[in-house]
Amino acid sequence: MRLTRYFLPVLKETPSEAQIVSHRLMLRAGMIKQASAGIYSWLPLGYKVLRNVERIVHEEQQRAGHIPMLMPTLQSADLWRESGRYDAYGPEMLRIRDRHERDLLYGPTNEEMITDIFRSHVSSYRDLPMTLYHIQWKFRDEIRPRFGVMRGREFLMKDGYNFDVDYESAIHAYNRHMVSYLRTYERMGLQAIPMRADSGPIGGDDTHEFLVLADTGESEVFYDAAITDLKFGDRKVDYDNRDECAEIVKEWTTPYARTDETHDEAIFNQVPEERRRTSRGIEVGQIFYFGTKYSEPMGATVVNREGQHVPVHMGSHGIGVSRLLGAIIEASHDDNGIIWPEGVTPFHCGIVNLKQGDAEADRACEQLYDALTAKGLEPLYDDREERAGAKFATMDLIGLPWRITVGPRGLKNGVVELTSRKTGESEELSPEVAVARVA
Ligand SMILES: Nc1ncnc2c1ncn2[C@@H]1O[C@H](COS(=O)(=O)NC(=O)[C@@H](N)CS)[C@@H](O)[C@H]1O
């Protein structure tokens, strides 16, 4: 992409209403624009990162054998009356009436809707296990939306729902989700720690939240420092193997890690003093087991092996897709701006032309552009008539992992300058070597 043909409305000033760094940087880098309280337009750069986060979520959910689909944002109130949550959910639910005076709502979550889909089509244990998921916008009328996309009113969530014939199978589904989440967050360059949590309005008794440690996090957390040494890496996992998934879950849930809702001082004190940590965390996902909480009242049953009609055991599992952009920036930035992990960066490499209009420099930039593109690495070419300082500042602000700077003087010596955003280090290399170095 050429900057003169893109739409990147970077801001010179730091917007006063932004209280945390991710909100400030998302506004300044021209990624989002507030439409109304807690509701944002996703401008091109932000939208590109959002799609990259979605792609990783889709890949890891499907690797775990979960099936993608898409449910609407608007739901009938009747479904929520069946489960008894229509009134229980409270003022966070945006209630809407259509022209025929029918009660609708903008879905804050989809347990009722997915259970209705399941009960309409599945009636035998032979069709199980089954996990359906979608990535869809949600609405929760937060009384105090804040911190930009971190606590929005309209936000993008992956919500997945497992259907199993019994408790053991549903716990395997729970473990499968935990394993898929560990890999998902690592691929985004995040360390998200699973912590035992309280279940809130969704209900049920088994639940873990995934938290990214950050001073600006809304949750207070207590954990054993040993848990931060765990790495998932690119280990191969047989997601159908119950013991294998249970083993990984055990590895990640043995060290003490809890939010303030479930913190137990007595147990925490058994952790060696030098390893006890308290901090704050950003909740980027949550997994739940809630048994027959929805299948019972809504009559979602299957005939089991013994020929009995039994309500299916379920769980729901969410990832805050739009919140993740804020969490990643909180975890990866410096004074000059964002530092995108390779897995989610909007462009892989910036190209800065120090002398736009100089035949040599222009040609070298075009060749770099083609070479990077040929390697499947999307460049952002700053071809504006701007002075170098402004071009460098923009590249640092929007946080691309690599920048190649091209100038007439360097070209005379057959070199360009390759700069790593993470380390700030620069090297003079031939254009071919510079392109080879961009991961
Ligand atoms: N107001 C919000 N703004 C941005 N992200 C949010 C907001 N509320 C929740 N999320 C994200 O959505 C994730 C899942 O939300 S949740 O309430 O914990 N879980 C559910 O809704 C269940 N139905 C799981 S499918 C959270 O972990 C969080 O990362």
Side-chain angles (χ1 to χ4, degrees):
M1 178 54 72
R2 296 162 200 284
L3 208 39
T4 52
R5 313 225 182 119
Y6 200 49
F7 175 51
L8 180 69
V10 297
L11 304 181
K12 286 267 175 300
E13 304 308 314
T14 296
S16 56
E17 79 274 14
Q19 294 154 297
I20 63 171
V21 66
S22 57
H23 188 194
R24 280 199 296 277
L25 290 176
M26 288 184 81
L27 291 170
R28 283 197 51 217
M31 293 176 63
I32 54 171
K33 178 176 174 48
Q34 180 166 318
S36 50
I39 301 176
Y40 290 87
S41 295
W42 291 82
L43 306 179
L45 194 75
Y47 177 65
K48 211 163 180 354
V49 179
L50 188 69
R51 296 311 303 264
N52 288 339
V53 169
E54 277 184 67
R55 174 178 43 77
I56 292 175
V57 172
H58 272 303
E59 284 171 0
E60 294 310 323
Q61 286 308 300
Q62 289 170 63
R63 190 197 306 261
H66 304 156
I67 308 167
M69 59 178 287
L70 184 63
M71 289 176 269
T73 52
L74 292 181
Q75 303 184 25
S76 153
D78 296 343
L79 272 183
W80 287 67
R81 290 188 176 110
E82 274 194 64
S83 69
R85 277 208 298 183
Y86 188 59
D87 299 317
Y89 208 88
E92 276 194 359
M93 179 180 277
L94 182 64
R95 300 159 200 269
I96 301 160
R97 183 148 293 174
D98 71 11
R99 63 186 301 172
H100 301 295
E101 294 298 297
R102 279 186 294 242
D103 291 330
L104 298 177
L105 58 104
Y106 188 140
T109 182
N110 285 63
E111 279 82 0
E112 286 79 359
M113 186 174 273
I114 195 70
T115 303
D116 178 49
I117 291 170
F118 178 85
R119 70 179 175 185
S120 308
H121 299 285
V122 182
S123 55
S124 163
Y125 76 98
R126 287 192 183 79
D127 296 317
L128 304 183
M130 181 189 293
T131 292
L132 299 168
Y133 80 90
H134 70 160
I135 299 183
Q136 179 56 290
W137 293 94
K138 303 286 186 295
F139 197 91
R140 293 182 187 177
D141 205 352
E142 302 275 352
I143 192 160
R144 208 163 30 90
R146 60 184 187 149
F147 297 170
V149 300
M150 206 69 94
R151 176 195 278 260
R153 291 198 296 164
E154 183 178 55
F155 59 96
L156 191 57
M157 186 202 293
K158 183 284 295 180
D159 38 316
Y161 304 88
N162 66 283
F163 300 90
D164 288 280
V165 70
D166 56 27
Y167 175 76
E168 290 70 28
S169 313
I171 290 304
H172 172 54
Y174 186 93
N175 294 344
R176 224 180 27 239
H177 278 87
M178 184 174 291
V179 172
S180 71
Y181 280 31
L182 293 172
R183 191 201 301 268
T184 299
Y185 296 124
E186 254 186 43
R187 283 189 58 190
M188 296 175 190
L190 282 180
Q191 178 164 54
I193 301 169
M195 299 198 182
R196 274 197 48 194
D198 174 39
S199 56
I202 305 278
D205 43 17
D206 283 274
T207 178
H208 280 84
E209 283 176 7
F210 289 75
L211 291 116
V212 173
L213 300 179
D215 310 348
T216 54
E218 297 196 310
S219 311
E220 191 182 12
V221 296
F222 305 82
Y223 63 96
D224 173 344
I227 200 161
T228 59
D229 301 334
L230 294 177
K231 281 274 166 292
F232 191 86
D234 59 2
R235 67 177 86 177
K236 291 277 164 287
V237 174
D238 174 359
Y239 280 96
D240 292 333
N241 184 316
R242 293 189 178 193
D243 297 340
E244 199 175 320
C245 289
E247 237 345 274
I248 295 170
V249 169
K250 188 161 170 285
E251 188 187 346
W252 253 273
T253 55
T254 300
Y256 187 94
R258 296 195 188 184
T259 62
D260 48 348
E261 291 161 334
T262 58
H263 178 52
D264 181 322
E265 201 61 34
I267 303 176
F268 193 47
N269 286 335
Q270 289 159 21
V271 174
E273 170 102 37
E274 72 280 4
R275 287 194 347 229
R276 276 182 236 147
R277 298 283 186 281
T278 60
S279 172
R280 305 201 66 81
I282 302 168
E283 182 207 318
V284 291
Q286 185 160 9
I287 57 177
F288 294 88
Y289 163 75
F290 48 67
T292 60
K293 182 176 187 308
Y294 298 92
S295 55
E296 194 98 66
M298 296 181 71
T301 61
V302 293
V303 176
N304 66 9
R305 199 184 297 275
E306 292 70 38
Q308 300 149 325
H309 287 264
V310 294
V312 287
H313 285 248
M314 291 175 63
S316 65
H317 317 279
I319 291 181
V321 173
S322 51
R323 176 178 285 184
L324 271 165
L325 274 78
I328 291 168
I329 294 172
E330 291 294 327
S332 183
H333 68 272
D334 64 12
D335 294 343
N336 300 326
I338 301 165
I339 304 176
W340 291 116
E342 307 271 353
V344 298
T345 186
F347 296 96
H348 290 90
C349 182
I351 299 171
V352 168
N353 188 339
L354 294 182
K355 201 154 183 331
Q356 204 63 42
D358 170 281
E360 273 283 281
D362 290 5
R363 185 170 42 254
C365 288
E366 294 299 336
Q367 284 164 349
L368 283 167
Y369 193 100
D370 295 342
L372 286 161
T373 307
K375 257 184 87 179
L377 297 167
E378 200 173 352
L380 178 64
Y381 173 16
D382 189 343
D383 58 347
R384 295 175 297 166
E385 304 275 347
E386 271 282 354
R387 51 187 182 68
K391 293 192 174 186
F392 293 152
T394 300
M395 284 299 171
D396 287 348
L397 173 63
I398 68 173
L400 306 187
W402 297 98
R403 184 189 81 217
I404 298 178
T405 305
V406 177
R409 222 192 353 230
L411 289 177
K412 281 218 179 0
N413 307 327
V415 294
V416 294
E417 185 186 67
L418 176 66
T419 304
S420 155
R421 178 69 182 84
K422 205 174 179 67
T423 64
E425 276 152 32
S426 295
E427 283 178 83
E428 295 211 327
L429 306 162
S430 72
E432 296 71 24
V433 171
V435 168
R437 297 283 295 278
V438 174

